[in-house]
Amino acid sequence: MKRGAFELPAFFVEGGIDLIELAHISKNFGSGQQQVHAVQDVSLSIRTGEIFGIIGFSGAGKSTLVRCINLLERPNAGTVTVDGKEITALSVKELRQTRKKIGMIFQHFNLMPSRTIFGNVAYPLKGSGLRKDQIAEKVRKLLDLVGIADKENAYPSQLSGGQKQRAAIARALANDPDILLCDEATSALDPQTTKAILKLLERLNRELGITLVVITHEMAVVKEICNRVAVMDHGRVVEEGEVFSVFASPKEELTRSFIKTTSNLQKIEELIAAKSPVVALKPGERIVRLSYVERNAPEPLISTMTKKYGVILNIIFADIEIVQNAPIGGTVGILSGPQDKMDEALEDLRSKNVGVEVILDAGDSESVSA
């Protein structure tokens, strides 16, 4: 099956089956009292054709885990199965062949400075059996695919960070991989370039059917392109699920703290602590935070609430974006009106699967949650 100038991998099936299976993976470094448990009993299944994110703070073990997928780091315990083949049981020669189908890109690009961009992309094709003209044709197609066809004779030092990462992606695609491992691939890039690289990766996933495993400490990256995500802490996976579900209803405190770094809905507590006049309440008023917790059908919830119950919501700020084709985020505002009507309005919102928090009530001395 072909799309454009490239052939879709034979494994690609709409709806997907498990392509990568990690079973009870553990990886330690050092020994004795100096031993570090980088990955501890991690089991994950990554489906064919999906974009799977692995996120965690620095030192969480996510980069070590992704290196266990292609055995750049061999786990101390557990098994790695790729496309039905347990690669932890392969011989050196068999593993070398399997690795050709697992491309990898890095934060700092890892290009060879003494070779042109053409030479960097052609390098993995040494010993492939292709003729010189076939290699040249393939390299130029790859450079065109990633948008730097005009840079084949340039050296890495002459390229911007985004262009270097595009070259690194082209090199990773040289052996027609089924899987692309992206280890902090956008961390060294500015926000605009990051967005462009993520769009490129998303297009490669869509057009070539390549399964992407994205390692990052940036929630924004996960929200932008991932289907599912695993959250790591101290070598363990503490939460896993669809990106929307994890963002809308995080179960673990670590996940909640990650989300706070990407949403200004959390700034309300800072304003209250600073006694900002923006959050000064009159008698009977409440500060509320409303958030999407399920894939609600878009409807004018706030305007409906104010008309139906005769209450007013003065919005302080809002943060709503689309993740996996559904709105996520919410609104913080000052709610005013008759107490019984405010209670009815908030209960009505809860019945519509809207998250409701009463952050501050003018009748209370402390913040309360509902």
Side-chain angles (χ1 to χ4, degrees):
M1 179 179 178
K2 291 188 176 181
R3 192 169 298 176
F6 295 86
E7 187 171 344
L8 282 174
F11 71 85
F12 183 70
V13 179
E14 292 292 342
I17 56 174
D18 290 341
L19 178 64
I20 303 168
E21 294 181 68
L22 307 179
H24 304 291
I25 295 295
S26 293
K27 176 62 181 178
N28 307 321
F29 295 100
S31 59
Q33 293 184 338
Q34 303 300 316
Q35 189 172 69
V36 175
H37 302 287
V39 177
Q40 301 183 62
D41 194 29
V42 169
S43 295
L44 285 175
S45 294
I46 299 173
R47 300 168 192 153
T48 296
E50 78 172 329
I51 305 178
F52 190 93
I54 301 176
I55 193 166
F57 289 117
S58 180
K62 54 191 186 297
S63 289
T64 300
L65 180 63
V66 79
R67 287 168 175 266
C68 287
I69 293 176
N70 58 3
L71 297 195
L72 286 180
E73 296 288 354
R74 185 171 283 274
N76 298 100
T79 60
V80 179
T81 302
V82 176
D83 199 17
K85 186 185 300 181
E86 185 188 328
I87 68 170
T88 35
L90 297 181
S91 68
V92 173
K93 182 179 179 181
E94 290 171 326
L95 178 59
R96 190 180 300 119
Q97 288 301 117
T98 298
R99 276 183 178 152
K100 288 182 178 180
K101 293 301 179 181
I102 307 176
M104 193 165 189
I105 57 175
F106 307 86
Q107 178 179 356
H108 296 297
F109 323 125
N110 289 13
L111 297 172
M112 293 176 283
S114 62
R115 291 177 180 265
T116 64
I117 298 307
F118 183 100
N120 269 275
V121 177
Y123 187 77
L125 296 171
K126 289 178 65 176
S128 64
L130 294 176
R131 300 190 310 270
K132 208 170 185 179
D133 62 312
Q134 292 174 319
I135 290 175
E137 181 184 8
K138 186 166 194 176
V139 168
R140 290 185 177 117
K141 281 183 178 178
L142 288 169
L143 292 176
D144 182 59
L145 179 68
V146 302
I148 53 169
D150 59 332
K151 301 297 181 183
E152 68 170 82
N153 295 317
Y155 286 87
S157 62
Q158 298 172 304
L159 270 55
S160 67
Q163 290 168 337
K164 288 177 185 176
Q165 195 57 286
R166 288 173 185 271
I169 292 169
R171 181 185 58 190
L173 296 175
N175 282 311
D176 304 313
D178 299 337
I179 299 163
L180 187 58
L181 308 178
C182 310
D183 190 2
E184 298 282 8
T186 60
S187 295
L189 306 175
D190 63 76
Q192 185 176 357
T193 306
T194 290
K195 200 168 188 68
I197 293 298
L198 292 178
K199 288 297 182 187
L200 172 60
L201 291 174
E202 193 174 34
R203 182 164 63 87
L204 295 175
N205 167 260
R206 183 177 64 252
E207 294 181 0
L208 305 184
I210 294 175
T211 301
L212 300 181
V213 183
V214 178
I215 306 302
T216 183
H217 65 273
E218 300 172 293
M219 271 291 193
V221 170
V222 171
K223 284 193 291 187
E224 184 75 22
I225 66 168
C226 293
N227 310 122
R228 292 191 300 135
V229 63
V231 183
M232 289 192 71
D233 184 36
H234 292 96
R236 298 185 183 276
V237 170
V238 297
E239 190 158 356
E240 179 191 355
E242 284 194 353
V243 170
F244 180 90
S245 299
V246 170
F247 269 82
S249 303
K251 296 179 177 61
E252 300 296 325
E253 179 56 37
L254 178 76
T255 313
R256 288 193 287 271
S257 69
F258 260 123
I259 292 171
K260 285 180 181 180
T261 67
T262 66
S263 172
N264 65 16
L265 295 183
Q266 314 304 322
K267 293 178 182 176
I268 187 64
E269 283 89 352
E270 297 174 16
L271 293 175
I272 292 171
K275 300 187 185 306
S276 168
V278 174
V279 295
L281 298 182
K282 296 174 183 177
E285 291 184 333
R286 306 175 191 177
I287 295 177
V288 297
R289 178 161 48 212
L290 310 176
S291 56
Y292 290 101
V293 295
E294 291 188 13
R295 295 176 183 272
N296 301 318
E299 58 177 300
L301 294 173
I302 292 175
S303 61
T304 299
M305 176 187 72
T306 57
K307 289 178 182 178
K308 184 176 181 180
Y309 297 100
V311 297
I312 297 173
L313 183 68
N314 179 22
I315 296 174
I316 301 172
F317 42 68
D319 187 358
I320 298 174
E321 58 186 318
I322 303 301
V323 174
Q324 292 187 320
N325 299 314
I328 196 168
T331 300
V332 173
I334 297 175
L335 188 65
S336 59
Q339 293 293 314
D340 59 336
K341 293 300 182 183
M342 285 195 289
D343 289 339
E344 289 178 27
L346 295 180
E347 192 56 42
D348 193 10
L349 288 175
R350 290 189 187 95
S351 73
K352 292 180 168 65
N353 296 319
V354 175
V356 175
E357 274 184 284
V358 179
I359 304 297
L360 192 68
D361 192 314
D364 296 337
S365 58
E366 297 181 358
S367 301
V368 296
S369 295

